[in-house]
Amino acid sequence: MSKLAKRIFHLFIASSMVILIILLLVMSLRTADTTQEVTDKAIDKISHFYIEEIAKNRASLISNELDKKYNYVNNALDVISQKDLESPKALRNYLGNMRKLYNMDTFALVDENGLVYTSHSTCSGKTRYPFLAEKITKPIYSTVLNYGGEKQLFLAVPVTGVYFNNSKITACFVEININQMMRSLAYRYDNMETYVNLYYKNGESLTNTAFGNIPSGLNILSVISAGDNDSKIFKKIKNDFESGVAGLAEVYYSGEEAHLYYIPVQNTGWILTILVYETAIDEQVSTNIESLMKQTRIHVSFIFALLFFLSICLILIIRNASHFKLQQEKIISQRTRQAYEKLNKETNAMQIIHSVLNSGPWRIEFDENGQIQRCDWSNTFRKLLGFYSETEFPNTLESWSERLHRNDKDAVLKAFWDTVNDSSGNTVYDVEYRLLTKDSGFKWYHAAGNIIRSAEGLPQTFVGLFTDIDENKRNEINLMEQFNIVNALSRDYANILSINITTRTIKPIKLGGFVPESFKENYSKDASYETYFSEYIEHRVYSEDKAFMAQAIALDTIVQKLNESDEYSSSYRIDDNGELHFYEFKYMKLNSDTIIVGVMNIDKIVNDAKEKEKLIVLSETDRMTGLLNRVSGEQKVEESLKNGNGGLFILLDVDHFKSFNDNYGHEVGDKVIICVANCLKTAFRENDIVFRLGGDEFSAYAAEVHDKKVATEIINRFIDNLRTIVIPELGKTAITASIGAVILPQGEKADFTDNYKLIDKGVYESKKISGSHVTFK
């Protein structure tokens, strides 16, 4: 190649290199400019995302904090008792305890006269607290200027059913330290600070804190309107505030550009605002951007190295940006989790305490008429019974009452309703009873509660605790049963012995009566049960009872009987020098291996039973006629009617009986009574109830007669019997009776008094007809 050609070639190469360098320089500069533009946009998006997430998180925390305060107030009102309302001192102690318990600056109650009760004083609240000027019917939030001109935020809720000093408590309010809340929500990272504040929809500030460079107390909408801001931006922000809509805007104030994000706080009518100044964001990234541009312009000739360096820087920027975003998300997630953990700990505090104490709270609400409106069984209450959901154990009174043990049910329900219906509040609900659990059968529980009442004494809320006492109660019952067994036997039984079921041996506890000779010789040692009782039967039991006793007190028979019942008795006779005496063996199971047996003379018990039977017959009999008397007869009829047996029920009296006494004397009158009684007795069957009411009045009841035809035949048989009466002193004077009758259907319960009045009217109607007559009702 010639020199010219080489020169041309070199020139071409040099020109190409220069052109390439120029192109690369232009491309590098353009790339740098593009990089800066893209980076700015990326930073804007990251900043917007960061601000939006911070705002949502802070709004959620504020809502949670307000809900927590609201729950604190409700929890405090739920536990207020009549004792806390007995005196101003008691009320102040209650208010002070609630304020300390929930860490509140102010916790107060307001009565219908506008008096405000706090733990330190009582004052008229309408001047100090303007939000009390109107009746509080729902939870409200209100700000008040204190004496120093600073704003205070209060939560006020309505109160019902609480009275103090004869005045109705209408509201409860607490102070919320909104400034402290805002300070806790502010965030600072390196030199970049995030400002947080709360505003009403009209732009008025709720707090006393400054919002970035905006002084405290200023209306944010007025500040934005006065700044160098586009009127469209201001109009959008104002509309969003009024409509409660979240939004993001770039605003100017005092010559500074800032990012403003706003979001409504749920159920409050407040707007939470987040402010980050543009200069703060720029400062975070300007150093890296300027360094990047400087290196780009200086090292254009080293374009490939620079491109490599830019690639590394871009990677680092993206990595830093990603790390920054992840770090913020981590912080937000951690703070949210901590807030929820704190909330859960506080709201479940009472449940945890009850779980530790193995007790569960319950609450029953009543309507304005004193009728049960709702039952609220707590989760701890359900778990004590083995249930884990409202579906398994619904919030109804029947869910509880239908599981009561049948031996406890009447007494427990009586105690429950006596407490509910006692408007004086003197009846105390404090009971122990057995309740059927889901998987463990019946267990013992203790329940106690108190009722909040209206001014008229009607129940409003019944609050109580439910505690598992099964183990202690069963131990107590077992110990008492064992004590009672040994104590009772030692008083009444001559011989007391202990039987070991496993070894089938017997040894004495007390010997005061007959003992077999072989057992006397070795009484301190365990002896064979079979040997002891075979000798006892042989030498002690009356001959006619020996075969029966050998079977009745065999150890296998005793064990079988005690598996079916708590105790087992067997009576027998002994022949003592020609005199028969009655004795009894009584067996009781002390535990799974031991049976206690006592031997006692029961002559007195047998004789008393015979005498008692005679007295019962005498007490139920009319001396003159031999019929049942009025008390026993009415009692038997009333019981049968209550059981739904129905049947024929009649009432009668003898016509003109007074004339018999007046004309022939009382002796003849007594003969009439006796004859009528015999006629009535023979007309009815032996198992029917026939009784004399007194004087010439009689009654009869046949439970198995439900047919009118059969009833008429029985009554006609009685009337026919009356015609056969012969009393010489009366001559041919006939004895007649006026009868009232009713037939009651089987299977329906009937009232004795109502039906007695009915057949008494029948007697009255029958007397209008001459001779014996019956009127059915």
Side-chain angles (χ1 to χ4, degrees):
M1 182 180 294
S2 63
K3 291 183 178 180
L4 180 61
K6 289 182 178 180
R7 183 173 295 178
I8 294 172
F9 177 75
H10 289 158
L11 182 61
F12 173 78
I13 294 297
S15 300
S16 298
M17 290 297 296
V18 170
I19 294 171
L20 180 61
I21 290 173
I22 293 172
L23 290 174
L24 290 175
L25 177 61
V26 172
M27 291 176 64
S28 297
L29 293 175
R30 185 175 180 92
T31 300
D33 293 337
T34 303
T35 301
Q36 183 172 2
E37 182 180 351
V38 170
T39 303
D40 289 341
K41 291 181 179 179
I43 291 172
D44 283 343
K45 289 182 179 180
I46 293 172
S47 300
H48 292 171
F49 176 79
Y50 158 72
I51 296 171
E52 182 177 353
E53 290 301 311
I54 288 292
K56 290 180 180 178
N57 172 259
R58 296 303 189 269
S60 176
L61 290 178
I62 291 174
S63 294
N64 291 340
E65 186 69 20
L66 295 177
D67 288 343
K68 182 173 70 176
K69 298 296 184 184
Y70 177 73
N71 290 333
Y72 284 168
V73 174
N74 284 334
N75 290 342
L77 292 175
D78 283 343
V79 301
I80 191 169
S81 66
Q82 196 61 41
K83 185 177 180 181
D84 298 323
L85 302 169
E86 288 178 349
S87 65
K89 182 178 179 181
L91 182 60
R92 284 195 297 273
N93 288 338
Y94 162 78
L95 294 172
N97 291 336
M98 293 300 103
R99 185 174 65 84
K100 293 177 182 178
L101 176 64
Y102 295 119
N103 193 24
M104 297 179 182
D105 294 334
T106 302
F107 186 91
L109 294 177
V110 185
D111 70 9
E112 59 189 347
N113 300 316
L115 287 179
V116 176
Y117 300 93
T118 68
S119 59
H120 300 295
S121 64
T122 301
C123 64
S124 176
K126 293 183 179 180
T127 302
R128 175 69 181 85
Y129 306 101
F131 59 86
L132 297 178
E134 295 183 2
K135 183 178 180 181
I136 296 175
T137 59
K138 62 181 181 179
I140 63 169
Y141 297 95
S142 180
T143 53
V144 174
L145 292 176
N146 63 15
Y147 297 117
E150 292 187 348
K151 292 182 179 179
Q152 294 174 289
L153 178 63
F154 291 90
L155 164 63
V157 299
V159 177
T160 59
V162 180
Y163 292 83
F164 178 70
N165 281 348
N166 297 321
S167 295
K168 182 180 181 181
I169 300 299
T170 60
C172 172
F173 68 85
V174 298
E175 182 181 352
I176 300 174
N177 194 333
I178 193 67
N179 295 321
Q180 181 180 352
M181 187 189 303
M182 290 299 100
R183 286 193 294 272
S184 67
L185 296 177
Y187 173 74
R188 183 178 182 84
Y189 180 79
D190 289 341
N191 294 322
M192 184 172 70
E193 185 164 3
T194 301
Y195 301 96
V196 182
N197 206 352
L198 283 171
Y199 293 91
Y200 288 111
K201 290 183 177 181
N202 62 3
E204 181 185 348
S205 175
L206 271 80
T207 69
N208 300 305
T209 58
F211 188 45
N213 294 332
I214 302 175
S216 62
L218 292 184
N219 187 301
I220 189 170
L221 295 179
S222 300
V223 171
I224 295 173
S225 176
D228 298 330
N229 295 292
D230 190 333
S231 60
K232 292 182 180 180
I233 294 177
F234 170 72
K235 186 175 181 181
K236 179 181 182 304
I237 296 173
K238 182 179 179 182
N239 290 337
D240 288 347
F241 266 55
E242 292 174 350
S243 303
V245 178
L248 176 67
E250 294 184 2
V251 297
Y252 293 88
Y253 175 73
S254 298
E256 289 192 76
E257 183 180 0
H259 295 275
L260 177 68
Y261 187 84
Y262 44 89
I263 184 173
V265 180
Q266 187 177 3
N267 299 326
T268 61
W270 303 343
I271 304 296
L272 174 70
T273 56
I274 305 290
L275 185 69
V276 180
Y277 283 101
E278 183 70 27
T279 54
I281 298 175
D282 291 343
E283 288 176 0
Q284 296 296 310
V285 297
S286 60
T287 302
N288 292 335
I289 297 299
E290 290 175 3
S291 175
L292 176 63
M293 296 305 299
K294 183 177 180 180
Q295 293 298 322
T296 301
R297 294 186 181 95
I298 295 174
H299 299 93
V300 172
S301 58
F302 305 101
I303 188 63
F304 295 105
L306 182 59
L307 289 175
F308 177 77
F309 176 76
L310 288 175
S311 299
I312 297 298
C313 289
L314 184 59
I315 292 173
L316 290 176
I317 290 173
I318 295 173
R319 185 176 179 182
N320 287 338
S322 299
H323 177 73
F324 176 76
K325 177 181 176 181
L326 292 174
Q327 188 67 21
Q328 294 307 307
E329 289 179 348
K330 182 178 179 181
I331 293 172
I332 292 170
S333 176
Q334 184 178 4
R335 290 186 177 179
T336 302
R337 185 175 63 254
Q338 290 174 349
Y340 276 112
E341 288 176 354
K342 183 177 180 182
L343 179 62
N344 288 334
K345 288 180 180 179
E346 292 174 348
T347 53
N348 292 329
M350 294 304 295
Q351 290 290 340
I352 294 172
I353 292 173
H354 292 317
S355 298
V356 172
L357 297 177
N358 205 24
S359 63
W362 49 268
R363 182 173 66 184
I364 300 174
E365 300 290 344
F366 298 83
D367 61 20
E368 63 275 5
N369 298 318
Q371 301 300 314
I372 292 179
Q373 191 174 36
R374 172 181 168 79
C375 296
D376 186 7
W377 311 115
S378 67
N379 290 333
T380 308
F381 181 103
R382 289 190 177 92
K383 289 178 182 177
L384 290 175
L385 297 175
F387 298 100
Y388 294 90
S389 70
E390 186 177 341
T391 303
E392 291 184 296
F393 195 89
N395 283 324
T396 63
L397 187 67
E398 291 73 19
S399 300
W400 164 76
S401 63
E402 290 177 358
R403 291 184 166 272
L404 288 167
H405 193 282
R406 62 177 182 176
N407 294 340
D408 302 333
K409 188 170 186 177
D410 290 343
V412 173
L413 291 179
K414 183 179 184 301
F416 176 88
W417 288 113
D418 285 349
T419 305
V420 171
N421 296 326
D422 182 9
S423 58
S424 67
N426 294 327
T427 303
V428 177
Y429 183 68
D430 192 333
V431 291
E432 293 180 354
Y433 53 82
R434 287 159 289 184
L435 204 61
L436 182 62
T437 63
K438 181 181 180 181
D439 301 315
S440 304
F442 284 97
K443 295 179 67 176
W444 280 95
Y445 296 93
H446 172 259
N450 194 14
I451 293 184
I452 299 173
R453 298 182 180 275
S454 65
E456 295 77 19
L458 291 175
Q460 293 180 324
T461 304
F462 198 169
V463 182
L465 277 179
F466 179 76
T467 307
D468 185 344
I469 60 169
D470 189 68
E471 184 177 354
N472 292 338
K473 189 67 177 180
R474 293 187 185 278
N475 290 338
E476 176 187 331
I477 292 172
N478 289 337
L479 289 173
M480 186 58 66
E481 287 178 349
Q482 294 178 14
F483 173 78
N484 290 338
I485 288 172
V486 176
N487 190 45
L489 289 174
S490 66
R491 289 196 308 266
D492 300 329
Y493 289 80
N495 287 355
I496 305 174
L497 305 103
S498 170
I499 303 172
N500 187 299
I501 301 174
T502 304
T503 62
R504 303 178 75 87
T505 57
I506 186 170
K507 65 179 180 180
I509 296 176
K510 171 188 174 183
L511 294 178
F514 174 82
V515 179
E517 292 296 327
S518 62
F519 191 69
K520 275 185 183 178
E521 297 172 359
N522 300 296
Y523 71 90
S524 62
K525 299 180 181 179
D526 291 350
S528 167
Y529 175 85
E530 283 79 5
T531 302
Y532 176 88
F533 277 97
S534 62
E535 291 185 17
Y536 189 94
I537 292 171
E538 177 67 26
H539 299 291
R540 187 65 170 167
V541 177
Y542 182 51
S543 59
E544 293 183 4
D545 295 345
K546 286 183 179 180
F548 162 74
M549 286 299 292
Q551 177 64 30
I553 62 174
L555 186 56
D556 292 336
T557 301
I558 296 166
V559 172
Q560 178 184 348
K561 295 293 185 181
L562 290 178
N563 287 334
E564 299 171 355
S565 179
D566 294 335
E567 59 182 53
Y568 168 58
S569 299
S570 181
S571 302
Y572 61 96
R573 295 170 292 177
I574 68 167
D575 186 354
D576 188 5
N577 296 323
E579 291 185 1
L580 286 179
H581 295 279
F582 291 87
Y583 275 78
E584 177 188 65
F585 278 115
K586 176 169 281 190
Y587 297 87
M588 286 166 281
K589 199 168 186 178
L590 192 62
N591 53 51
S592 59
D593 291 327
T594 306
I595 297 174
I596 299 294
V597 58
V599 183
M600 179 176 74
N601 181 290
I602 59 172
D603 283 345
K604 185 176 184 307
I605 296 174
V606 173
N607 293 333
D608 288 348
K610 293 179 180 179
E611 185 65 26
K612 182 178 180 182
E613 186 175 354
K614 292 179 182 178
L615 291 174
I616 290 173
V617 172
L618 289 174
S619 68
E620 293 182 346
T621 304
D622 178 68
R623 296 275 180 102
M624 180 183 292
T625 63
L627 301 178
L628 292 174
N629 58 27
R630 180 172 193 154
V631 174
S632 61
E634 288 185 350
Q635 183 178 1
K636 293 177 186 296
V637 175
E638 183 176 10
E639 182 178 354
S640 182
L641 293 180
K642 281 184 178 179
N643 291 333
N645 293 326
L648 172 64
F649 186 21
I650 73 168
L651 176 67
L652 65 94
D653 66 12
V654 180
D655 296 333
H656 315 298
F657 179 72
K658 186 175 183 299
S659 66
F660 295 151
N661 282 331
D662 293 343
N663 296 329
Y664 303 103
H666 288 281
E667 184 177 349
V668 174
D670 290 346
K671 290 181 180 180
V672 172
I673 293 299
I674 293 170
C675 290
V676 173
N678 290 332
C679 291
L680 191 60
K681 186 163 31 177
T682 56
F684 282 82
R685 295 167 300 177
E686 185 176 352
N687 60 336
D688 293 334
I689 301 170
V690 181
F691 56 102
R692 182 187 177 199
L693 296 169
D696 63 332
E697 287 187 310
F698 296 86
S699 183
Y701 171 73
E704 297 177 359
V705 177
H706 299 94
D707 183 74
K708 186 174 182 180
K709 181 179 178 182
V710 177
T712 303
E713 291 175 356
I714 295 173
I715 295 172
N716 287 338
R717 187 161 59 234
F718 165 67
I719 294 174
D720 291 340
N721 290 343
L722 292 179
R723 296 191 183 101
T724 65
I725 296 175
V726 177
I727 299 175
E729 292 87 344
L730 296 180
K732 294 183 179 181
T733 302
I735 298 174
T736 60
S738 297
I739 307 167
V742 65
I743 299 175
L744 302 169
Q746 187 176 15
E748 296 181 10
K749 295 182 179 180
D751 183 74
F752 175 86
T753 303
D754 292 343
N755 286 283
Y756 181 88
K757 292 178 180 178
L758 194 63
I759 58 178
D760 188 42
K761 290 180 180 179
V763 172
Y764 178 77
E765 294 177 11
S766 294
K767 281 190 176 294
K768 297 176 182 179
I769 300 173
S770 177
S772 296
H773 183 77
V774 59
T775 300
F776 281 93
K777 303 299 286 185

